[in-house]
Amino acid sequence: KLMEEDWQKTLTWGIQDEDYYVNDEGRFMKTQEQRDNAADAAWKLANKADAFYGTAPKVEGYFSDGNATSASNQPEEYQASLKPFDKEVLGAYGFNSYVDFFSAPPENPVTYPAWSVDLVEGSPAKIANTKLNELSTKYLPKAILSGTSEFDNVWNEYVSDIKKLDIKTYEDRINEVLKWRIDNWSVK
């Protein structure tokens, strides 16, 4: 029951027409008084279940009606919370929020992330990977902290020890799983 939208809306937005209102477009909004109440610690203590909600299961993102699950994530409420300086800065760039300064993330390929490949405990690939990590832990701090005259010797010793490992079994396992992902996870 707690995860039903009606309860989630009550826990995040409050009671309609007391803690927020719905505008003509169906968007949840707050009056300035409702915003001030929501920011007042004494009011929250008497009217909100923040301690409970903080640890309770919750829906995050958007409700089925398109409203944000929290007032701070509702674009209109976010805009209303901005100080004049922030509005001026964002307006100068033609942005609505500071998040707009970031580029859209690139789409991950179906093989992503390669680090999640199961190397299978005890396999040659797992052994090679474990030894490679041990060598990195041993040599990289030495290389970083070494003086200019010592660096080449430390680095050459590190590379020499890596060449003694069966890195090919590690690479083959990674490639095998990535090929499997391409073959089985791609939309055809």
Side-chain angles (χ1 to χ4, degrees):
K1 294 275 184 199
L2 180 62
M3 294 302 292
E4 291 177 1
E5 280 197 3
D6 287 346
W7 281 109
Q8 290 290 307
K9 287 176 182 178
T10 300
L11 288 167
T12 56
W13 281 90
I15 298 170
Q16 185 175 335
D17 298 325
E18 284 184 35
D19 303 312
Y20 71 99
Y21 67 94
V22 180
N23 71 11
D24 293 338
E25 291 82 36
R27 305 291 293 161
F28 293 2
M29 304 288 293
K30 292 181 180 249
T31 64
Q32 190 56 50
E33 180 184 2
Q34 290 167 335
R35 286 185 201 108
D36 293 343
N37 285 342
D40 183 304
W43 184 91
K44 287 188 345 183
L45 190 59
N47 294 282
K48 298 276 292 180
D50 278 351
F52 166 73
Y53 184 71
T55 58
K58 58 187 72 64
V59 174
E60 293 189 14
Y62 294 90
F63 293 120
S64 61
D65 60 13
N67 284 294
T69 55
S70 70
S72 61
N73 291 334
Q74 187 85 323
E76 299 90 340
E77 285 301 306
Y78 174 77
Q79 286 295 316
S81 74
L82 291 175
K83 296 191 175 359
F85 175 80
D86 294 306
K87 288 180 183 179
E88 182 183 338
V89 169
L90 290 170
Y93 286 95
F95 293 160
N96 293 315
S97 79
Y98 286 103
V99 174
D100 295 337
F101 281 99
F102 295 101
S103 302
E107 188 171 326
N108 290 326
V110 70
T111 55
Y112 180 85
W115 58 258
S116 68
V117 168
D118 180 15
L119 296 177
V120 184
E121 203 61 46
S123 72
K126 178 69 173 180
I127 293 167
N129 181 250
T130 301
K131 288 182 178 180
L132 184 60
N133 286 334
E134 289 170 357
L135 290 176
S136 296
T137 302
K138 176 181 177 182
Y139 285 106
L140 292 180
K142 282 184 184 178
I144 292 167
L145 297 173
S146 67
T148 307
S149 62
E150 304 162 329
F151 177 82
D152 285 339
N153 289 337
V154 172
W155 186 257
N156 290 336
E157 191 177 334
Y158 177 43
V159 171
S160 174
D161 281 358
I162 288 174
K163 288 180 179 178
K164 295 174 188 171
L165 302 178
D166 188 6
I167 298 297
K168 179 107 172 70
T169 59
Y170 170 71
E171 292 172 343
D172 289 347
R173 174 63 181 166
I174 298 291
N175 288 325
E176 171 192 349
V177 173
L178 297 186
K179 182 180 180 332
W180 182 91
R181 288 179 183 177
I182 291 167
D183 293 343
N184 293 284
W185 290 356
S186 297
V187 177
K188 297 177 180 175

